[in-house]
Amino acid sequence: MNIAEIDTSSFKDFDHHEKVLECTDEQSGLQAYIAVHNRNLGPALGGARMWPYGSRSEAITDSLRLSRGMTYKSAMAGLPLGGGKAVIVGDPRTTKTPALMRAMGRFIQHLDGAYITAEDSGTNVADLQIVATETRHVAGINQKKLNDGSQISGDPSPSTAYGVFVGIKASLAHRFGSGDLHGVSVAIQGVGNVGKRLAEFLVNAGARVVVADLYPRAIEELQDKLQVTVCKLDDIHRQGVEVFAPCALGGFLTVTTLSEITAPIIAGAANNQLAEVGIGRSLVDAGKLYAPDYVINSGGIIDIYCERAGYRHDELVTHIDRIGQTLEEIYALAEASRQPTHVIADRIAESRFLSPVGRINVA
Ligand code: NAD
């Protein structure tokens, strides 16, 4: 196994990252990168993503972008954690093997706790349990006990969904003066691990829910359980609803999609929702209330942190409920300063994690 630190300072997405390591392992076929962005608040925690990247530089770019996002997310969630991310090059459906996951475990162990891994796209609890045979720096794999005594797996998605639900209520309260969901309509784009659970929270709270998903089986499974309306993929953001909740892939908010979204509130789980930074300003100009993605989707990282800190379900819920107050604070500051909400969120996060010698990166 070859592990080497690489110089990423020429990459557009380089942002004073502490270090980026590359690992290649002929025996298992592993090609992976770990980016540690910032550890001023604690060890760098972030998921391990597996994706068939088209090139080495594409994989490194993703690790730089995602690790930076984790620093901001944890700082905003008030956690003593820094930001890191691992990416594995390969198709999770065809090239994932136990040997590859064990090699990944040895790579993570090499950082000796500077980076702690968890689930992300292309990896699941079972994969991470294999990683954990080689390193103890793995989170999101232990069974957790709920208040009613039932057990849930280490999967953080239910907590992410709950956090988005809390964030939607806070956004409604800010815009309409009440967070009551009775009679409110929400359009959810993508009903995977997070979106399907969000739909359940919303329907149970009295909301009308419209959904769309690329994967017909995801829709069928949801319809067996809940009363939801289904619409075409291309129409989900055009629904006449109060809230549009992107819960599929990032980058959906562009100049074009924004001109088609009628919902006054955009609040969903997807990471990196703004296709480009300038869209934040367009959202303000269009009169949309946008819940910054890494704030509203932080329930999962809070869950992972609580699991490591000795799990108490009531403490977890109390911590996730704070997402609502954080959003309210961001909305108030954004309105007072006429700044986009994501700019305000970045400023608050940076004030928490930047050391005195750190770079201030605000608009
Ligand atoms: P997932 O893969 O389980 O679900 C995503 C769903 O979106 C899938 O069912 C997929 O078929 C669907 N989809 C993809 N493209 C679509 C499109 N164009 N239109 C409609 N549906 C589409 O993923 P997830 O774990 O539910 O995560 C959803 C989003 O939330 C991702 O952006 C993820 O990065 C983010 N997120 C997830 C967590 C978590 O705890 N799982 C935490 C923070 C952020």
Side-chain angles (χ1 to χ4, degrees), residues 221-358:
E221 280 175 15
L222 193 66
Q223 281 184 306
D224 286 346
K225 244 178 123 180
L226 286 182
Q227 203 165 4
V228 291
T229 307
V230 180
C231 83
K232 287 197 207 133
L233 287 179
D234 290 346
D235 287 339
I236 188 70
H237 63 291
R238 295 190 173 101
Q239 299 295 307
V241 293
E242 279 79 22
V243 184
F244 171 55
C247 295
L249 299 181
F252 186 74
L253 301 177
T254 63
V255 173
T256 308
T257 56
L258 183 54
S259 68
E260 296 165 348
I261 294 171
T262 53
I265 296 171
I266 301 173
N271 275 314
N272 304 316
Q273 289 175 31
L274 308 184
E276 52 190 89
V277 184
I279 298 294
R281 171 54 59 191
S282 310
L283 284 161
V284 178
D285 295 343
K288 306 290 184 199
L289 186 64
Y290 168 66
D293 43 23
Y294 67 80
V295 179
I296 193 169
N297 73 16
S298 62
I301 189 83
I302 295 170
D303 183 301
I304 287 170
Y305 171 75
C306 287
E307 179 190 313
R308 289 180 66 79
Y311 189 80
R312 286 265 317 271
H313 190 66
D314 46 354
E315 283 177 7
L316 170 70
V317 172
T318 304
H319 200 138
I320 297 178
D321 281 338
R322 276 187 229 135
I323 291 174
Q325 289 136 33
T326 305
L327 283 173
E328 180 45 49
E329 200 182 314
I330 291 169
Y331 292 155
L333 287 168
E335 269 175 21
S337 61
R338 296 273 310 146
Q339 290 287 333
T341 53
H342 80 279
V343 170
I344 300 295
D346 283 2
R347 280 187 188 164
I348 298 173
E350 284 162 2
S351 73
R352 293 180 183 177
F353 76 78
L354 280 182
S355 67
V357 290

Side-chain angles (χ1 to χ4, degrees), residues 88-133:
I88 304 170
V89 180
D91 186 336
R93 287 165 306 179
T94 53
T95 58
K96 193 160 66 182
T97 61
L100 188 104
M101 285 296 146
R102 280 196 297 275
M104 190 62 199
R106 292 195 291 281
F107 181 25
I108 292 163
Q109 183 58 28
H110 179 84
L111 278 94
D112 201 22
Y115 166 70
I116 301 165
T117 202
E119 296 91 351
D120 201 85
S121 307
T123 60
N124 55 35
V125 175
D127 299 326
L128 290 176
Q129 280 165 344
I130 301 173
V131 171
T133 60

Side-chain angles (χ1 to χ4, degrees), residues 49 73 156-157 160 189-195 212-215 218 233 247-250 269-271 297 300:
R49 174 167 293 191
K73 187 183 293 199
S157 307
T160 305
Q189 180 189 47
V191 283
N193 285 321
V194 178
D213 197 292
L214 269 180
Y215 181 46
L233 287 179
C247 295
L249 299 181
N271 275 314
N297 73 16

